[in-house]
Structures are given as structure tokens and as C-alpha cells.
């Protein structure tokens, strides 16, 4: 349920109403706009009598919110959420670019890629240390040692870092990580999401291979319900009948999610298409559709990458793509 207050509502009236609502067993999320305050009610609102609320002096209108996602709902929070990582922003009109290797392999590799992507305009560095691989016999990532190397690259470049946490047992390594990624395969690991909701750290939540928008938003809701409102949604391709590409990029996710939610929405074309050749086209499409950011895999030696080499751009190819992306941004934003 959302309550729109009249323009002249006083602070005292707002406090009285908030107290009364909380006594009815719901929690509140207030958005104070220039002219109007909106109160979002979270919890069981079935006991609240809309007629009674409508009659209150400071109330302009009351609406029931049909969608099961509340904190993530744009109706609760009309303005875009901007996730700010020490000045590097995701959401709010700019374009965040998260770039780096699929997995951290050694010191030279991560430093080389970090310096290169920074030079080309990336705003965040990515790199996996705990890797969710389809085969248990594939490289599983450098684990804690990988995070150490990523932190070194962060220090050297000043780029904030994004890396995936697969299990809560790994949390001890994430103290200095700026953004925690929840991978597609873990999107509905609800226990993990609940625990991440208690942290004060942005969470990049990737859409599951077969998840609907509503399921993605409900997963975001799990994190937000714990008090952590810095959630970034990432469309990374879904599984369809098409086998030519690794997955199918669902570009509709950008405008649809941005209508449904105030959370930033980014696109990962690398995992969506799985082939370097098409990544620039998909990146441009994402920017044109209004995405808040891109996540791109870059490797200094893709042919010998331990993971996802076929979809990893070389630093030179990334640089060429970034020039086009920046030109498009200037033209349309
Ligand atoms: C990744 O970003 O490295 C990754 C494994 O992504 P996804 O969870 O989308 O497959
Ligand atoms: Mn990868």
C-alpha cells in the first residue's frame, strides 16, 4: 500500500501518521519529494482500513500495490536509486562500466587488465575468485588468493572492485570488496540473499538463466527486506531455444525493469552472447535501451584464459568498443 500525502503536510502530522501505521504492524518507507511525500507500507496491510486512512487530514490518496515486491517497487520510490561506491556511481543517468577478466589467474594478468580497462574508461574492475563452473573439473578460481590480487589491483588503479560470492563461508574474504556479485545460479539462494541483506555493501544481483522479471525482483526484495537497499540488477542472457549464441540477451529487461523498479539495471553482454564478435553491438543496444551500466569480460590473452576466453575482449578491442559506447552516450544522454 502507498499513501500520498498532501503538499502542506506538517512534520508533526507525518510523525503522528507514521506512529499510527507502525502500531498497525507495518514498516514504512518514506520518499520525500520536492512537493509531495509518499509513504510505502511494507508488511501485512490487510488490517489497515483504506477508508479510515483516506479520511485523515494530511492524506491525498491511498493505493494498494498489487505486486509482491514492495521495497524494489518504483511505486514506493519514484526516483532512481543511485548506488554510490566512493564516488563511482551506478544509476541516475550515467553509464557505469564494470570490466575485467572472468577469473583472476595471476598477478600479472589482473594488473595488466586493470590498468588497461581503466585507461579505456571503465569505472569498476571485475574479476572472479570463486567461480561457479558447470564442471567440477574446470578451474574453480584462485579463491582467497584471487581476492588478494584483486585488492592489489584496486590499490594500484583506484578502481572499485566487483567479485562474486558463492557461499557465506567465503564472506571473510569480502571485507574490502566494494560490490558483491550474486551469480545467475545463486539468484534464488534465499538464505544467501537474506544474509547479504544484513550487510552495508552494494549487491550486484544477476538474473537467473530461467527467471522471470518478477522472480528477479523478488530476489532483490529478499536483500532489501534485510535493510540493504543498494541492489543492482543485471541481465546476463536467458536460456531460449537458440543454440548459436551462449544465451539470449533479453534487451526488453532494461525498459521493463526500469519501469517496475527504481533499482539500477545493467547488462552483461559477455555471458549473454558468449562470443567476442557481437559484444560491441549488444553493448550499444544496451546503452540505447537505457541501461545504467555494462559488465564486460576483458582478458590480456583470451586464447589462454582459464575461463570464458571465447567471450573475453582483448584490451584493444575493449578500448575500440568503449570509444563507440562513449560516442553513443554523448549523442543520446
Ligand atoms: C560471471 O560474471 O563471471 C558469471 C559467472 O556470471 P553468471 O552468474 O551471469 O553466469
Ligand atoms: Mn565468465
Amino acid at each position: 500500500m502507498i499513501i500520498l500525502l498532501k503538499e502542506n503536510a506538517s512534520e508533526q502530522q507525518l510523525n503522528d501518521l507514521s506512529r499510527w501505521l507502525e502500531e498497525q504492524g507495518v514498516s514504512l518507507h518514506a520518499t520525500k519529494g520536492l512537493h509531495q511525500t509518499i509513504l510505502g507500507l511494507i508488511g501485512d496491510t490487510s488490517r489497515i482500513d483504506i477508508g479510515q486512512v483516506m479520511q485523515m487530514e494530511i492524506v491525498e490518496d491511498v493505493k494498494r500495490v498489487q505486486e509482491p515486491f514492495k521495497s524494489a517497487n518504483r511505486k514506493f520510490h519514484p526516483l532512481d536509486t543511485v548506488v554510490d561506491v566512493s564516488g563511482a556511481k551506478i544509476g541516475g543517468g550515467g553509464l557505469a562500466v564494470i570490466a575485467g577478466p572472468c577469473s583472476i589467474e595471476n598477478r600479472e594478468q589482473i594488473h595488466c587488465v586493470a590498468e588497461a580497462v581503466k585507461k579505456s574508461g571503465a569505472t569498476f574492475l571485475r574479476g572472479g575468485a570463486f567461480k561457479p563452473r558447470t564442471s567440477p573439473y574446470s578451474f574453480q578460481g584462485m579463491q582467497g588468493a584471487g581476492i588478494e590480487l584483486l585488492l592489489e589491483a584496486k590499490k594500484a588503479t583506484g578502481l572499485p572492485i566487483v567479485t562474486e560470492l558463492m557461499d557465506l563461508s567465503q564472506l571473510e574474504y569480502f571485507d574490502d570488496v566494494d560490490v558483491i556479485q550474486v551469480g545467475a545460479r545463486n539468484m534464488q539462494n534465499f538464505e544467501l540473499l537474506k544474509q547479504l541483506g544484513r550487510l552495508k555493501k552494494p549487491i550486484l544481483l544477476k538474473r537467473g538463466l530461467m527467471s522471470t522479471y518478477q522472480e528477479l525482483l523478488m530476489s532483490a526484495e529478499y536483500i532489501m527486506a534485510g535493510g540493504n537497499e543498494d541492489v543492482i540488477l543485471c541481465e546476463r542472457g536467458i536460456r531460449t531455444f537458440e543454440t548459436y549464441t551462449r544465451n539470449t540477451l533479453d534487451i526488453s529487461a532494461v525498459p521493463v525493469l526500469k519501469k517496475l523498479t527504481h533499482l539500477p539495471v545493467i547488462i552483461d553482454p559477455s555471458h549473454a552472447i558468449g562470443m567476442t564478435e557481437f559484444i560491441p553491438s549488444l553493448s550499444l543496444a544496451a546503452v540505447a535501451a537505457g541501461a545504467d551500466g555494462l559488465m564486460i569480460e576483458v582478458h590480456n590473452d583470451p586464447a589462454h584464459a582459464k575461463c570464458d576466453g571465447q567471450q573475453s575482449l582483448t584490451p584493444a578491442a575493449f578500448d575500440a568498443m568503449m570509444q563507440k559506447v562513449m560516442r553513443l552516450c554523448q549523442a543520446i544522454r
Side-chain angles (χ1 to χ4, degrees), residues 24 39 48-49 90 145 220 264 276 283 309 331:
Q24 313 300 306
L39 285 181
I48 296 176
D49 177 356
I90 311 179
T276 52
S283 299

Side-chain angles (χ1 to χ4, degrees), residues 319-330:
D319 190 68
M321 185 191 93
M322 282 297 283
Q323 298 199 21
K324 288 191 196 163
V325 162
M326 289 192 283
R327 275 211 302 279
L328 178 61
C329 277
Q330 278 160 8

Side-chain angles (χ1 to χ4, degrees), residues 102 126 131-132 164 181-185 206-207 209 236 246 268 271 295 297 308:
C102 180
R126 65 151 282 153
K131 293 302 305 175
E164 177 165 353
Q181 174 171 319
V182 174
R185 293 154 190 84
K206 295 189 107 179
R207 179 183 182 186
L209 278 70
R236 45 77 73 208
R246 183 174 178 177
D268 169 355
H271 290 90
M295 179 181 256
E297 285 188 342
D308 285 350

Side-chain angles (χ1 to χ4, degrees), residues 44-112:
D44 179 12
T45 55
S46 59
R47 285 188 307 153
I48 296 176
D49 177 356
I50 287 199
Q52 191 182 351
V53 179
M54 275 300 276
Q55 278 168 13
M56 293 181 179
E57 205 185 315
I58 60 165
V59 173
E60 171 94 37
D61 201 5
V62 183
K63 291 180 188 150
R64 285 226 179 259
V65 174
Q66 302 302 337
E67 296 88 356
F69 48 96
K70 310 292 179 189
S71 297
N73 202 315
R74 199 180 271 284
K75 289 178 188 158
F76 270 51
H77 189 300
L79 300 177
D80 283 352
T81 283
V82 181
V83 175
D84 189 333
V85 184
S86 2
K89 296 193 170 73
I90 311 179
L95 186 79
V97 179
I98 304 165
C102 180
S103 58
I104 301 145
E105 296 171 8
N106 55 62
R107 177 173 284 122
E108 190 196 342
Q109 173 238 21
I110 190 66
H111 279 266
C112 167

Side-chain angles (χ1 to χ4, degrees), residues 127-147:
F130 297 96
K131 293 302 305 175
R133 303 303 301 276
T134 303
S135 165
Y137 309 117
S138 301
F139 176 56
Q140 302 288 305
M142 288 183 73
Q143 323 264 310
I147 304 264

